Amino acid sequence: AADRPLVRIVIVGHVDHGKSTLIGRLLHETGGIPAQKIEQLKAMSARRGMPFEWSFLLDSLQAERDQGITIDTSQIRFQTPSRDIILIDAPGHAEFLRNMITGAAQADAALLLIDAAEGVRDQTRRHGYLLHLLGVKQVTVVVNKMDRVGFDEAAFRAIESEITAYLADLGVRASAVIPISAREGDGVSVRGERTPWYDGPTVLEALDGFEPARAPQDLALRLPVQAVYKFDDRRIVAGRIETGSLKVGEEIVFQPSGKTAVVKTIESWPVPAAGKEKALLNAGAAAAITLDREIFVERGEIVSTPASRPHAARRLRVRLFWLADEPLETGTVVIARLATSESRATVAAVHEVVDPGHLSTFESKSIGRNQVGEVELVLSRPIAADPHGLNPRTGRVALELGGRIAGGGLVISVLDGEATRA
Ligand code: GDP
């Protein structure tokens, strides 16, 4: 049905702990994969004298995608009894961190995978920390490869208490900790007969219990301007409505310029055509609008309503994850990108550097590769911004250094800027 809730998830965990295997099995057991595809892969493995691996399924889907055979995008989809699930990133994807911190991939929930025989590793903690950093509140822990420890309850409980304590320190409550064997099929969609001491949900049931994100529509209007065009003497402001909705006749304000106007028409877009105007557009839609007056506005500004506008920010406090080899320190100049805007930004101060591997906070004036910290950024020109808690779409920045994404994170607060709120 069209109104099934959609939940975007990520599956994270130390490399080799079994992410691809779990995904392959989930796809198979939820019926998304034709049986003949599995038979084909099994036959191929047998021919090559290799044991069948569920992860081959992902590889072969990826290969088809790369060749453009399937119409599908880079997103893997499957269904639980009451949810549509989109897996927003394939494991081992090199761009994973970049996608998550730049907001290209916004997860509503996550599975954190741990190999039962290896236990909680630094990379496990880093991924857990990253979920916290990105504000992912729904986390289910999956303890995989229980067959490697003979389905031993004590081994499971030790990992369970270690990881739940770690996550609790971050303010993240694990909704469940599930013992499974992805390879052998225990606990994924079928209750594990070899874990009679466990009475919690299967992975599929846990996925089915995840709540979808609050609809972007229910938040205040945010329309980042992508471009301003001249068309038949009319000036058309175009962009995508990130949150909220937009109506003809409504008064709007552009931030950071603070200019106001009334929406005169909402044009069809990207092909303007007479008689195709609309009265209302919702979050997610491409918008092209004309205004009741001639005002000069630019790409990068954000359209909102006067009663609930973003800050015209000059100084931001940002909690970020840093990826570059060069450290980020006081005085470093980066390009900050927020929605469609960009500005040079200088690090004015570094606070609270954390090594997510050990969750230790230390005094430092610089943030190294793979570290997390809070910084104050001074912008060379004002940009429109919201605290992440108010609006996740316009409360997130990516930082570029030397033309590459070098870090990114959440706007914790706007330290210097104006906003009016009714
Ligand atoms: P990823 O790097 O996290 O995606 O891990 P993979 O899914 O590629 O799995 C890594 C290895 O662990 C592969 O050889 C899998 O066959 C193996 N593996 C995955 N799940 C299980 C399991 O439940 N039990 C055992 N014994 N091995 C598993």
Side-chain angles (χ1 to χ4, degrees), residues 223-246:
L223 164 57
V225 176
Q226 253 159 34
V228 180
Y229 301 97
K230 274 276 199 190
F231 189 80
D232 293 349
D233 276 344
R234 292 172 302 165
R235 185 171 292 190
I236 294 182
V237 176
R240 180 172 171 273
I241 302 181
E242 289 292 339
T243 57
S245 53
L246 182 74

Side-chain angles (χ1 to χ4, degrees), residues 106-417:
Q106 172 116 35
D108 307 322
L111 298 180
L112 175 61
L113 219 69
I114 303 173
D115 182 327
E118 303 287 330
V120 178
R121 308 293 291 269
D122 265 7
Q123 207 177 76
T124 316
R125 291 192 196 90
R126 239 193 321 270
H127 283 149
Y129 193 87
L130 192 67
L131 297 175
H132 151 72
L133 176 74
L134 294 166
V136 180
K137 295 269 183 281
Q138 307 182 80
V139 178
T140 289
V141 177
V142 176
V143 179
N144 186 34
K145 307 197 192 182
M146 284 299 295
D147 57 293
R148 288 185 71 193
V149 297
F151 294 90
D152 178 40
E153 179 175 7
F156 170 78
R157 296 293 174 208
I159 292 173
E160 179 184 41
S161 42
E162 184 178 353
I163 192 67
T164 47
Y166 177 82
L167 292 174
D169 275 350
L170 297 173
V172 176
R173 198 182 68 86
S175 59
V177 183
I178 311 176
I180 72 162
S181 170
R183 191 158 77 183
E184 299 182 9
D186 308 65
V188 180
S189 68
V190 180
R191 200 152 290 285
E193 280 177 12
R194 293 181 285 185
T195 49
W197 40 264
Y198 172 76
D199 58 7
T202 61
V203 175
L204 199 66
E205 286 164 349
L207 290 170
D208 203 48
F210 284 145
E211 291 300 327
R214 196 170 152 214
Q217 203 131 312
D218 300 342
L219 298 171
L221 170 65
R222 296 290 184 261
L223 164 57
V225 176
Q226 253 159 34
V228 180
Y229 301 97
K230 274 276 199 190
F231 189 80
D232 293 349
D233 276 344
R234 292 172 302 165
R235 185 171 292 190
I236 294 182
V237 176
R240 180 172 171 273
I241 302 181
E242 289 292 339
T243 57
S245 53
L246 182 74
K247 288 185 246 358
V248 167
E250 183 169 43
E251 187 178 4
I252 54 172
V253 56
F254 292 81
Q255 285 282 68
S257 71
K259 289 176 185 163
T260 58
V262 170
V263 180
K264 192 164 134 197
T265 61
I266 300 179
E267 307 286 317
S268 73
W269 195 258
V271 187
K276 294 272 179 70
E277 296 81 13
K278 298 199 169 78
L280 170 82
L281 273 188
N282 288 317
I289 59 177
T290 62
L291 307 174
D292 69 328
R293 68 199 78 155
E294 286 264 312
I295 53 171
F296 180 75
V297 290
E298 294 182 278
R299 174 184 167 89
E301 296 205 62
I302 294 181
V303 174
S304 64
T305 58
S308 174
R309 63 177 88 181
H311 295 263
R314 298 183 162 275
R315 224 174 147 90
L316 298 173
R317 184 166 175 133
V318 174
R319 186 193 298 151
L320 61 85
F321 195 86
W322 189 245
L323 298 166
D325 291 327
E326 313 89 303
L328 183 73
E329 45 202 13
T330 305
T332 304
V333 178
V334 293
I335 302 292
R337 291 188 185 282
L338 192 155
T340 56
S341 69
E342 63 170 75
S343 168
R344 270 160 51 95
T346 307
V347 177
V350 174
H351 308 280
E352 280 190 43
V353 179
V354 179
D355 176 356
H358 304 93
L359 256 205
S360 47
T361 308
F362 48 91
E363 280 297 308
S364 173
K365 295 255 176 292
S366 85
I367 303 179
R369 185 176 158 77
N370 281 337
Q371 288 180 343
V372 173
E374 288 193 11
V375 298
E376 282 177 40
L377 295 177
V378 175
L379 306 169
S380 65
R381 57 187 195 137
I383 61 179
D386 285 300
H388 182 263
L390 274 183
N391 193 314
R393 304 289 176 100
T394 46
R396 179 192 291 271
V397 287
L399 303 181
E400 276 183 24
L401 191 66
R404 301 205 47 184
I405 297 287
L410 313 184
V411 175
I412 300 303
S413 56
V414 177
L415 301 170
D416 181 10

